[in-house]
Amino acid sequence: MPLGPHASASRQAFYESIAPLGLAPLWEVLHALVPPRPATAAQAALWRWQDVRPEVMRAGEIIGAAEAVRRVLILENPGLPGQSSITGTLYAGLQLILPGEIAPSHRHTQSALRLVLEGLGAYTAVDGERHPMTPGDFVITPSWTWHDHGNPGKEPVIWLDGLDIPLLRMLDLGFAENQAHPTDRPPEPTRPPGDALLRYGANMVPVADERAPTSAPLFVYPYARSRAAVFALARGTLPHPVHGFKMQYINPTTGGSAMPTMATYLQLLPKDFASAAYRCTDAAVFSVIEGRGSVEIGDEGAKRVLEFGEKDHFVVPSWQRFRLRAAAETVLFSFSDRPVQKALGLWRDALE
Ligand code: GTQ
């Protein structure tokens, strides 16, 4: 075991003698186990669209969607190599589906979100309904719902996947099932397109339906609607000094986050907006839908400035001070594990 702060030769010999008994000295690791503030291994990082898009397209040349099951390039945090994680608890990736392809049906305990980045003509089917995907649309696949993706259109379609994979791995409760008889044909839809949005997207819920589902029964949040909402919020009001004009996508049956493990947000920053410095315990992944600007992340002495443009992705690690600046009118999508932290009474933030 590596030398800790209290190690000496005789103590080291003691540690080695107790190791076979499954025993270890707390006092050598206590400072790391209960740190004075979050000591995340995750780093601030940026993935530029101009760098990653060609690689995503190359992935489309080397493997088919059916063989890959999900043809995705993972956005892996440079501080968490080999862990398929963008933060300690979250996974992110860029998924490509080419015209004519299907990504077969499966379900898993991990919740997933999609944010469509590019291309028209693909769908995600959730719970028997095919949701057409338009750039900017936010689509969810709640835990344990069957889902497949297809592209009957003419263009490659790329979207951001966000999942709670590392969180569920930590809890040791990853379960998955593949479609019992995978075929070249995706399962037939059992509900018409637009059904969930019509049922649950009108500020109404069926009276006879007693469920308050833990994930939104609404599976798609079309960009045209969400964009109009943040622009309406901005009309005639001053931006919040930290958030600009920021709204959360909610589960209309509970008023809480769209999924229990991940909160998702859409944020408008007016041109030349510069946010106040802020930190919070939930690390966040950002996807730049429109505009450009920069984010300064980290404390004095360890600051990094990342310049972002459309379809770039960046991550702000837990409890790192950050400021957003918009060089043009900017719309950001973001997600984090905040609902988990809040449910446990652990979430903190600070203006500093
Ligand atoms: O679309 O179901 O990026 O299961 C990673 C795991 C996407 C998906 C990912 C998944 C999916």
Side-chain angles (χ1 to χ4, degrees):
M1 110 179 224
L3 290 185
H6 307 285
S8 63
S10 60
R11 286 174 180 169
Q12 200 63 30
F14 171 63
Y15 305 160
E16 279 159 28
S17 72
I18 61 174
L21 300 171
L23 297 171
L26 171 64
W27 56 89
E28 296 292 2
V29 292
L30 182 58
H31 58 294
L33 289 184
V34 284
R37 63 193 63 83
T40 179
Q43 295 171 12
L46 171 77
W47 290 262
R48 266 183 240 283
W49 185 242
Q50 65 189 58
D51 299 333
V52 299
R53 187 187 182 281
E55 308 304 336
V56 170
M57 294 309 294
R58 264 166 56 89
E61 291 163 18
I62 65 158
I63 192 162
E67 185 194 349
V69 182
R70 296 293 182 264
R71 188 207 286 115
V72 179
L73 293 185
I74 301 169
L75 305 181
E76 192 169 74
N77 192 293
L80 304 169
Q83 295 180 39
S84 305
S85 302
I86 191 161
T87 73
T89 55
L90 298 173
Y91 157 104
L94 300 178
Q95 180 158 177
L96 167 69
I97 186 150
L98 293 169
E101 287 189 322
I102 62 154
S105 188
H106 71 186
R107 64 175 178 173
H108 36 70
T109 46
Q110 293 84 358
S111 297
L113 65 88
R114 334 274 168 198
L115 180 76
V116 185
L117 302 174
E118 180 185 288
L120 287 173
Y123 64 81
T124 284
V126 189
D127 233 13
E129 182 181 337
R130 287 185 185 172
H131 304 281
M133 298 168 97
T134 311
D137 288 356
F138 164 54
V139 180
I140 66 168
T141 42
S143 176
W144 213 241
T145 50
W146 289 101
H147 56 283
D148 57 277
H149 314 294
N151 184 352
K154 295 189 173 63
E155 304 169 3
V157 176
I158 305 174
W159 63 78
L160 169 71
D161 280 327
L163 288 92
D164 51 13
I165 290 173
L167 175 68
L168 269 67
R169 184 169 58 199
M170 199 179 297
L171 297 171
D172 267 339
L173 41 75
F175 294 88
E177 273 179 12
N178 289 311
Q179 192 185 348
H181 303 288
T183 60
D184 289 339
R185 284 187 308 118
E188 283 300 317
T190 53
R191 294 186 297 136
D195 188 62
L197 196 57
L198 283 168
R199 262 175 220 254
Y200 294 101
N203 292 322
M204 300 176 88
V205 289
V207 168
D209 191 346
E210 294 282 305
R211 296 172 310 154
T214 52
S215 290
L218 194 69
F219 298 109
V220 61
Y221 299 75
Y223 187 51
R225 287 186 173 200
S226 316
R227 187 181 191 280
V230 289
F231 275 82
L233 183 66
R235 222 168 287 141
T237 339
L238 290 174
H240 183 280
V242 169
H243 307 299
F245 300 101
K246 186 170 184 176
M247 296 181 95
Q248 186 182 182
Y249 295 88
I250 60 162
N251 172 348
T253 69
T254 62
S257 53
M259 289 180 286
T261 50
M262 293 184 283
T264 43
Y265 304 93
L266 191 70
Q267 179 173 16
L268 168 64
L269 306 178
K271 182 177 185 318
D272 299 326
F273 175 79
S275 75
Y278 177 73
R279 62 175 90 227
C280 51
T281 49
D282 52 322
V285 180
F286 288 81
S287 182
V288 184
I289 302 184
E290 297 179 35
R292 63 198 159 78
S294 63
V295 57
E296 181 189 284
I297 307 174
D299 292 312
E300 295 304 328
K303 257 188 222 168
R304 291 192 57 198
V305 177
L306 307 173
E307 306 267 345
F308 59 75
E310 277 177 18
K311 302 192 180 76
D312 290 351
H313 293 86
F314 59 90
V315 56
V316 178
S318 171
W319 206 241
Q320 293 194 4
R321 186 176 192 261
F322 73 102
R323 280 172 195 273
L324 289 164
R325 289 193 173 81
E329 186 171 68
T330 294
V331 183
L332 301 174
F333 172 88
S334 59
F335 68 100
S336 81
D337 65 4
R338 186 173 303 185
V340 178
Q341 301 195 11
K342 284 202 162 172
L344 301 177
L346 296 169
W347 183 76
R348 289 193 197 193
D349 69 342
L351 265 172
E352 53 180 78

